[in-house]
Amino acid sequence: MKEIVLLCLLALCRAKPYEPINIMSFLKHHDIMLQDDAAEDDDDDDGNFLFPSMSAPPHDESCPFGCQCSLRVIQCSDLGLKSVPKNIPKDALMIDLQNNKITEIKENDFKDLKNLYALFLVNNKISKIHPKAFRHMNKLQLLYLSYNLLTQIPANLPQNILELRVHDNKISKVQKDAFRGMRALHVLEMSANPLANSGIELGAFDGMSTFYLRIAEAKITAIPKDLPPTLTELHLDYNKIGKVELEDLYRYKNLLRLGLGFNQIKFVENGSFASIPNIREIHLDNNKLRSVPAGLDTLKYLQVVYLHVNSIGSVGPDDFCPAERSVKKSPYVGISLFANPLKYWEVQPATFRCVVGRRGVQLGNFRRRK
């Protein structure tokens, strides 16, 4: 079940230009997860489903003015609201407040909503959230706060949240213990914030377990060394990282995918990848590398390497593949080297001996960048 949840969340958490969330599509996408959770809860008064039958009549008399209420889903998006509406039904499971003009989340805005599963506050003008705003929300698993004006991570977040999105806010500091106790958090999306390395306090990620973390489009100049060691995916694209040093990845031994594209990386210290032996994908495209990073040939499970749009002038016969075939457990399915000053006709055919098929390698012609 955890694998299904994680795949669903990863599919949704990629940072893209803002698009409103279609609640009906969202419900359909999470249908398996929601029904499974309810089936495991013997105390649920509604039987084996988290949401009641589609034939259940909506309770219009308890629905906030202007909103639509059905199946315990409260839809109040695109209404020009300046505050959270009053009298939200206490049995609400999902609240949609995206695309409004809400500026503040007050202490009692979500009072008594103990069954709430998902809360969407995307694309408002929220700059302040009361420290007790999310109290008693022991079942909240999805919290979307992207495209607001927050300057820091909200305090006292529910510890059972699976996915937290604070993409495109004004966060320049992550305080110590900001995520303390959030061991259920699978996905954390923090991209498009003015966050620098100096803004991440020591211990900011202590006491949490996260699989997917993305801090793209920020002001990161080096791979942070204090992130959760449980990470399987780390994405730091579109930053200002200049190099990868030996100790940068030492803490993240479980990494399966590493995204460092669109940075300013000129150098990867030899041995840097030895700490991530299970890595499957490495994205180093759109950087300033002059050679293929050392150590790729020692990664037994590496399948995808993006090195396009760099300054790589030559490729050696052992840059990607180990000398002994038995060492490589998973063959490459993709190596990109196009848009480099590389004379591809000089590359020895044996260089790609551990790649599946001809289409697994993209060389192309070098074109000078404009």
Side-chain angles (χ1 to χ4, degrees):
M1 180 57 201
K2 289 185 178 180
E3 288 78 7
I4 295 175
V5 173
L6 182 57
L7 288 174
C8 290
L9 296 181
L10 292 181
L12 289 170
C13 71
R14 303 287 185 181
K16 299 178 180 179
Y18 172 69
E19 294 181 2
I21 300 169
N22 186 309
I23 295 300
M24 292 292 91
S25 297
F26 187 93
L27 287 174
K28 184 182 295 184
H29 185 83
H30 284 71
D31 186 56
I32 296 176
M33 179 176 64
L34 294 174
Q35 292 185 20
D36 188 88
D37 282 348
E40 294 175 356
D41 186 0
D42 295 332
D43 297 328
D44 194 340
D45 295 335
D46 295 316
N48 292 327
F49 294 90
L50 187 56
F51 291 105
S53 171
M54 292 296 292
S55 60
H59 300 284
D60 292 335
E61 66 276 4
S62 62
C63 191
F65 179 78
C67 302
Q68 297 181 14
C69 302
S70 177
L71 308 177
R72 290 191 278 173
V73 176
I74 316 302
Q75 293 182 264
C76 304
S77 62
D78 302 279
L79 295 177
L81 298 175
K82 295 183 179 180
S83 61
V84 176
K86 304 296 183 182
N87 303 320
I88 296 176
K90 294 182 180 181
D91 64 345
L93 293 171
M94 186 175 293
I95 300 177
D96 173 18
L97 286 166
Q98 62 180 327
N99 305 332
N100 282 293
K101 299 179 181 180
I102 300 171
T103 59
E104 179 182 357
I105 303 300
K106 300 178 181 179
E107 179 178 357
N108 295 321
D109 280 347
F110 303 114
K111 184 180 180 181
D112 298 327
L113 299 179
K114 299 179 180 180
N115 295 318
L116 196 63
Y117 171 87
L119 176 59
F120 303 112
L121 291 163
V122 179
N123 198 33
N124 277 277
K125 297 181 180 180
I126 301 170
S127 60
K128 183 179 180 181
I129 296 179
H130 194 278
K132 295 183 179 180
F134 302 119
R135 68 189 186 282
H136 307 312
M137 288 188 177
N138 297 325
K139 296 184 179 181
L140 187 66
Q141 296 190 21
L142 305 179
L143 178 58
Y144 287 15
L145 292 165
S146 299
Y147 300 96
N148 277 287
L149 302 173
L150 295 173
T151 58
Q152 64 180 15
I153 302 297
N156 302 319
L157 290 170
Q159 296 186 359
N160 50 287
I161 292 180
L162 288 177
E163 179 183 359
L164 174 63
R165 297 181 63 176
V166 289
H167 175 266
D168 207 327
N169 275 271
K170 305 293 182 183
I171 298 173
S172 59
K173 180 180 179 181
V174 182
Q175 62 274 27
K176 182 180 179 181
D177 295 331
F179 305 100
R180 172 69 67 177
M182 300 184 70
R183 299 190 178 278
L185 188 63
H186 289 177
V187 176
L188 176 58
E189 169 60 81
M190 297 177 60
S191 298
N193 283 288
L195 182 63
N197 291 77
S198 58
I200 302 176
E201 292 187 358
L202 186 64
F205 297 93
D206 283 356
M208 69 178 295
S209 298
T210 301
F211 300 142
Y212 180 104
L213 174 60
R214 193 165 192 262
I215 314 178
E217 304 172 70
K219 297 182 179 180
I220 301 296
T221 57
I223 297 176
K225 299 179 177 61
D226 197 31
L227 301 178
T230 53
L231 285 175
T232 57
E233 291 201 32
L234 174 60
H235 297 271
L236 299 170
D237 314 273
Y238 293 94
N239 277 289
K240 299 180 180 180
I241 299 172
K243 57 184 177 180
V244 179
E245 297 181 314
L246 189 63
E247 67 274 13
D248 283 349
L249 300 171
Y250 183 79
R251 181 180 173 88
Y252 315 123
K253 301 181 184 298
N254 298 319
L255 274 185
L256 300 178
R257 182 179 295 175
L258 175 62
L260 294 171
F262 291 92
N263 276 279
Q264 302 171 13
I265 299 173
K266 296 181 179 179
F267 174 72
V268 177
E269 187 175 357
N270 191 6
S272 296
F273 296 137
S275 300
I276 49 175
N278 298 314
I279 194 75
R280 266 65 168 178
E281 287 189 27
I282 297 177
H283 295 236
L284 282 164
D285 55 286
N286 291 275
N287 278 286
K288 298 181 179 180
L289 294 170
R290 294 184 176 275
S291 61
V292 176
L296 296 180
D297 60 314
T298 65
L299 300 173
K300 300 179 181 180
Y301 303 100
L302 184 61
Q303 295 179 295
V304 176
V305 182
Y306 285 180
L307 291 168
H308 55 271
V309 195
N310 274 281
S311 300
I312 298 172
S314 63
V315 176
D318 297 322
D319 281 348
F320 296 100
C321 303
E324 298 181 11
R325 293 187 179 182
S326 59
V327 175
K328 187 71 173 172
K329 302 298 183 182
S330 300
Y332 287 100
V333 296
I335 296 177
S336 66
L337 284 163
F338 63 87
N340 280 287
L342 176 65
K343 297 178 180 179
Y344 60 89
W345 56 87
E346 294 183 355
V347 179
Q348 298 182 28
T351 299
F352 305 113
R353 58 189 178 274
C354 57
V355 181
V356 176
R358 296 179 180 178
R359 295 184 180 181
V361 180
Q362 298 180 8
L363 290 171
N365 295 319
F366 170 68
R367 295 182 180 181
R368 182 174 295 179
R369 305 180 205 175
K370 295 182 180 180

